[in-house]
Amino acid sequence: MEKTYISLNSLRYDVLVDVAPDIKWVPENAYKNCKVVLELASDADAQRIAEQELKFRHKALGPLQIVADRGLQVGDVAVLDISAMTIEQDESNSKRIPAAESRGFNFDTEVDNVLPGFLDSIIGIKCGETKSFPVVFPESWKQEDLRGVHVQFTVHCKELFYRNLPELNDSIAEKLVPGCTTIEEVKQALWERCHEVAQEAKEQATDNAILAQLQQMVEVDIPQSLFEEQGRQLYGAQLLEKQAHTKLNEQQLAALSSPKAVNDFLQSQKANITNIIKQNLAIGDIFSRENLQYSVEELEKEVKNSISVLKQNKQDYDEERVKEQVREVLEGAKVLEWLRVNAEIQYITR
């Protein structure tokens, strides 16, 4: 190299770097005309959920008693062995359906997600008795492979219980909701909680819909380094969450942290990672264009809270990186706040 330099009297080298990508809004300033339509639950749904919660809490106060002199009634709890076979024209082609079978299943007759026709078919069954009956899984059933399937169930009742419920009056109000002295206060407290949850869900759904719109409004060439950085952050966060819940051993953690595992994640989550990057870039661009700001006090407070959580979980951290992440969160909050005011949002009650 030295001889070459001396002979040519010059030296050239090339450096390849990624630069911050430019965002193109389609059309220009599209975010200023953001339109969102959301379908939400009605107040009647919140009332229904509050009533279900009251019923659930009331049931929790009633100890189970053995039923000895009658068959199953609505309100009872039965311990069932359930087997299932497909119904075919040629019986020799019938097959077991493991996904629809259970042993020692605690069946509450008052749950909402019972297979249509199942409860009606076992009403009256007594302890020690077996019943067999056909049922068709509806097309809306949560398990896709069971939709429309004709099934022959065989149900054996092993145990049968009823709830010895206390009378629903003011005397048990405190047990239903601490601090309440009447059933009316209980009903009001439960409705307020359900209404609060519904409002939080509404705000979250609104934010999600706005972010989804922003993704579709921007065009951007995402550098590979930015894609990998965002993907690795996302994967790392999921790994930490999994570690907190399942307590992975060193071998499991090493396998999940391997380059192959990370690359597999990047490939499988390519569309999701790309959308997150587009969202973040769009938010940063709007924050700058609209001259939005957050206070130093807000930044310092959130950084302190984040570091406190990291310390509690005994996680290593880089303070500058924490500040950068908090800035992104605050920018996002300010932009969403601005968009909620300036976007055209329509709510439809189902």
Side-chain angles (χ1 to χ4, degrees), residues 160-219:
L160 192 56
F161 303 93
Y162 72 95
R163 288 188 176 89
N164 186 15
L165 296 177
E167 186 177 349
L168 189 61
N169 56 33
D170 295 347
S171 66
I172 63 170
E174 172 69 23
K175 294 180 180 178
L176 294 169
V177 175
C180 291
T181 58
T182 68
I183 291 299
E184 286 305 312
E185 288 180 3
V186 168
K187 292 179 178 179
Q188 182 63 25
L190 292 178
W191 183 86
E192 288 176 357
R193 291 181 187 179
C194 291
H195 184 68
E196 183 180 345
V197 170
Q199 284 298 113
E200 292 175 355
K202 175 182 177 180
E203 292 175 4
Q204 186 61 59
T206 301
D207 289 348
N208 291 341
I210 290 173
L211 291 172
Q213 286 283 357
L214 293 184
Q215 293 174 19
Q216 301 173 16
M217 293 176 176
V218 295
E219 292 181 356

Side-chain angles (χ1 to χ4, degrees), residues 16-274:
L16 182 65
V17 296
D18 285 329
V19 296
D22 293 324
I23 287 183
K24 179 182 179 183
W25 290 95
V26 182
E28 181 65 24
N29 293 327
Y31 67 89
K32 292 187 176 182
N33 299 307
C34 185
K35 296 180 181 180
V36 173
V37 179
L38 282 173
E39 184 177 333
L40 299 174
S42 64
D43 285 341
D45 290 319
Q47 182 64 38
R48 178 179 56 80
I49 294 171
E51 291 171 355
Q52 289 176 341
E53 179 64 17
L54 174 58
K55 192 173 184 179
F56 173 79
R57 294 186 181 212
H58 184 211
K59 286 168 61 176
L61 298 179
L64 293 175
Q65 304 288 334
I66 296 175
V67 174
D69 56 351
R70 62 169 175 80
L72 180 71
Q73 297 178 355
V74 174
D76 293 342
V77 176
V79 180
L80 307 175
D81 283 345
I82 305 171
S83 59
M85 298 284 291
T86 59
I87 298 176
E88 308 290 350
Q89 289 185 347
D90 184 352
E91 292 185 2
S92 62
N93 292 328
S94 296
K95 300 178 181 178
R96 287 182 54 242
I97 310 176
E101 297 185 335
S102 184
R103 294 289 180 270
F105 177 67
N106 288 325
F107 177 68
D108 189 336
T109 56
E110 292 186 323
V111 296
D112 294 330
N113 58 345
V114 180
L115 174 64
F118 186 90
L119 175 58
D120 292 339
S121 298
I122 63 171
I123 285 293
I125 192 172
K126 296 181 178 180
C127 185
E129 189 178 355
T130 299
K131 283 191 175 183
S132 185
F133 51 89
V135 173
V136 179
F137 280 90
E139 294 297 335
S140 58
W141 193 249
K142 54 185 177 294
Q143 291 174 263
E144 294 184 12
D145 58 332
L146 293 178
R147 292 174 183 172
V149 177
H150 293 243
V151 180
Q152 186 72 23
F153 278 103
T154 300
V155 176
H156 176 71
C157 182
K158 300 175 69 175
E159 296 179 271
L160 192 56
F161 303 93
Y162 72 95
R163 288 188 176 89
N164 186 15
L165 296 177
E167 186 177 349
L168 189 61
N169 56 33
D170 295 347
S171 66
I172 63 170
E174 172 69 23
K175 294 180 180 178
L176 294 169
V177 175
C180 291
T181 58
T182 68
I183 291 299
E184 286 305 312
E185 288 180 3
V186 168
K187 292 179 178 179
Q188 182 63 25
L190 292 178
W191 183 86
E192 288 176 357
R193 291 181 187 179
C194 291
H195 184 68
E196 183 180 345
V197 170
Q199 284 298 113
E200 292 175 355
K202 175 182 177 180
E203 292 175 4
Q204 186 61 59
T206 301
D207 289 348
N208 291 341
I210 290 173
L211 291 172
Q213 286 283 357
L214 293 184
Q215 293 174 19
Q216 301 173 16
M217 293 176 176
V218 295
E219 292 181 356
V220 58
D221 290 327
I222 300 174
Q224 182 63 23
S225 60
L226 179 57
F227 173 82
E228 291 183 0
E229 180 185 4
Q230 180 65 59
R232 291 176 189 280
Q233 286 180 16
L234 189 62
Y235 185 71
Q238 290 188 8
L239 195 58
L240 285 174
E241 184 176 356
K242 183 178 292 186
Q243 169 73 348
H245 285 88
T246 60
K247 301 299 181 183
L248 303 171
N249 58 42
E250 291 185 8
Q251 186 176 3
Q252 291 172 319
L253 195 59
L256 290 172
S257 304
S258 67
K260 182 181 184 305
V262 176
N263 288 332
D264 287 346
F265 175 82
L266 294 179
Q267 291 302 314
S268 65
Q269 294 295 314
K270 185 174 182 179
N272 183 41
I273 296 169
T274 300

